[in-house]
């Protein structure tokens, strides 16, 4: 039997970069160490939406993991929010996916933006949305 986790479950929010490794185990220190010894195009995380794969590369101060860490902070919570946005979020018109509140009208909570100099399916940035623009129900 195939069990598909629901969008709000912890299982749905965790993806595996290597067999047996969950996003909760991804530490900023280990990614930082990899990015110090590899170039900006090095892939540090993979996220999935159905068969589509999106990558997070080391990047620079303007895009990728280094950008997210410096501008928005990196933690296992940030990693889970990114994963949830890819897994169950709605397209946001910025080439990425966003998550919204469950109220009506729904309000955007978290946004990802896709497309970097290194690739079309690369994560440019991800962040908590602080403005209160509401979407239609």
């Amino acid at each position: 039997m195939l069990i598909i986790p629901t969008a709000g479950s912890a299982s749905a929010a965790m993806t595996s970069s290597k067999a047996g490794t969950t996003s909760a185990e991804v530490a900023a220190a280990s990614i930082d160490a990899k990015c110090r010894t590899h170039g900006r195009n090095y892939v540090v995380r993979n996220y999935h939406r159905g068969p589509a794969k999106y990558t997070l590369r080391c990047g620079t101060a303007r895009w990728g993991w280094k950008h997210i860490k410096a501008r928005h902070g990196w933690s296992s919570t940030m990693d889970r929010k990114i994963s949830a946005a890819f897994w169950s979020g709605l397209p946001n018109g910025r080439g990425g996916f966003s998550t919204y509140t469950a109220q009506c009208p729904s309000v955007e909570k978290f946004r990802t933006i896709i497309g970097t100099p290194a690739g079309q399916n690369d994560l440019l940035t991800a962040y908590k949305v602080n403005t209160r623009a509401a979407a239609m129900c």
Side-chain angles (χ1 to χ4, degrees):
M1 173 184 352
L2 176 65
I3 299 174
I4 300 173
T6 60
S9 74
S11 298
M14 291 190 202
T15 61
S16 176
S17 61
K18 291 184 180 177
T21 303
T22 64
S23 62
E25 298 169 339
V26 176
S30 67
I31 295 175
D32 193 42
K34 287 182 182 183
C35 289
R36 274 190 305 235
T37 58
H38 293 86
R40 68 184 193 166
N41 293 332
Y42 184 78
V43 175
V44 294
R45 294 287 290 130
N46 289 307
Y47 299 99
H48 299 276
R49 183 178 180 94
K53 180 171 84 171
Y54 298 90
T55 55
L56 175 60
R57 297 178 188 270
C58 287
T60 68
R62 298 179 60 93
W63 59 271
W65 184 80
K66 288 180 180 179
H67 167 79
I68 294 170
K69 180 184 173 206
R71 294 285 309 272
H72 311 293
W74 183 264
S75 65
S76 59
T77 300
M78 174 63 92
D79 189 42
R80 282 191 302 273
K81 287 181 178 183
I82 292 169
S83 184
F86 281 117
W87 179 262
S88 63
L90 299 173
N92 60 23
R94 301 283 313 267
F97 302 96
S98 295
T99 55
Y100 295 83
T101 61
Q103 67 195 34
C104 185
S106 61
V107 177
E108 185 178 20
K109 299 185 304 185
F110 190 82
R111 178 183 299 161
T112 63
I113 299 176
I114 307 302
T116 72
Q120 285 183 315
N121 281 353
D122 289 348
L123 184 59
L124 176 77
T125 191
Y127 53 91
K128 179 181 175 185
V129 176
N130 294 320
T131 59
R132 288 293 180 191
M136 297 297 289
C137 297

